[in-house]
Amino acid sequence: MAANAIEVSRISKTYADGTAAVEDLSFMVPEGSCFGFLGPNGAGKTTLMKALYGMVRRDPRPETRVSVLGFDPAADELAVKHLCGVVPQEDNLDAEVDVGTNLFIYSKFYGLPAREARERIAELLGFMELKEKARARVSELSGGMKRRLVIARALMNRPRLLILDEPTTGLDPQVRQLIWDKVRGLKREGVTVLLTTHYMEEAYQIADSIIIMDKGRRVLEGPPRELLSRGIEAWVLDVLDPDASGGLGEGPLSAGVRREEGGYSPRFFSDHPEALRELAARLPSGATHLRPTNLEDLFLRSTGRKLNDLQ
Ligand code: ADP
């Protein structure tokens, strides 16, 4: 069995104003895996990441234990910083200098000799597909390029653990795919990846295991596909036209079909798509949409709330 890169037992964080951002979370992250935290805005994901790399002081509770690559960030912040690469939510790049210089300045923090730094920079610009932008100023980069640069920067010191806080928020689907590919590549090289996201697709695509979080607490934990197969039916029929749903009446449903009231119109869940197709046939064509269920459906079912109201 792989060793754990991270072991956390009963971590909590309450801010000075009384906000309980993280409440009593425990989890383990096997080395070389990608572990995701999925939850809506305000779930406590960023706070948790910051507590892991020592940017936020967790509540000093006697029952709490935290080990990040063998170190406790509350006691050994510097050791953790040297072993981790962090991609924060905000692109905190130096806008006045060019791409290569941004990386070069960063290499100094890690005490890399100049020659080695230049080699590493060339390698990372190649890896993140930014080579032709080496001399461009940060202010001339698109949002997706900036994100890729922040990731390259986080990889400067060849970290064993990469922490990605909402890595693709606001980016277009092509850049998102590219970043997912790179994360998969890093994982193949043995890097452990910790990821926060409010995109269920992101968690599904790249995380081996996830914790679904809400209001600082764990709602569910496990490999995404397993969570789905255990927690919710395989198929859902969305009724797109609320007026049409009247046609389904309140009458009995076929066996194995569950009706859920939500939003504008009811939704029907089943493991048997044919049962849902039969139901759809009672409504005008185009009034329904049959699809496989996803983590968003599971989140809604578990919390009664949407994962991403703004998406
Ligand atoms: P997420 O990353 O899931 O969006 P955050 O960790 O940013 O969640 O926030 C969790 C909760 O903590 C939210 O209610 C947020 O308003 C609150 N919070 C975050 N940072 C601070 C802070 N510095 N002071 C007080 N409350 C904060």
Side-chain angles (χ1 to χ4, degrees), residues 131-147:
K131 225 171 202 147
E132 69 284 10
K133 293 289 172 189
R135 293 282 150 252
R137 275 168 178 244
V138 165
S139 51
E140 295 159 17
L141 300 181
S142 69
M145 289 171 186
K146 283 184 194 153
R147 216 82 258 272

Side-chain angles (χ1 to χ4, degrees), residues 186-253:
L186 288 166
K187 226 180 62 172
R188 277 195 296 276
E189 288 171 22
V191 177
T192 307
V193 180
L194 216 55
L195 163 91
T196 78
T197 186
H198 60 277
Y199 294 128
M200 52 119 191
E201 188 61 18
E202 184 155 84
Y204 192 78
Q205 288 285 338
I206 58 175
D208 300 300
S209 201
I210 61 172
I211 286 182
I212 299 184
M213 276 179 82
D214 191 31
K215 298 179 181 159
R217 293 183 172 276
R218 172 186 23 216
V219 179
L220 292 166
E221 177 175 357
R225 282 153 196 79
E226 229 172 75
L227 286 181
L228 278 180
S229 63
R230 264 194 279 138
I232 197 160
E233 297 89 338
W235 293 88
V236 58
L237 183 74
D238 290 317
V239 180
L240 304 175
D241 176 0
D243 297 334
S245 68
L248 297 172
E250 299 291 327
L253 295 167

Side-chain angles (χ1 to χ4, degrees), residues 13-22 39-50 56 89 165-166 196-198 213 216:
K13 172 64 190 180
T14 307
Y15 283 107
D17 65 358
T19 306
V22 174
N41 280 331
K45 306 180 298 293
T46 297
T47 301
L48 176 64
M49 291 307 108
K50 286 183 174 172
V56 151
Q89 226 174 88
D165 194 1
E166 302 268 358
T196 78
T197 186
H198 60 277
M213 276 179 82

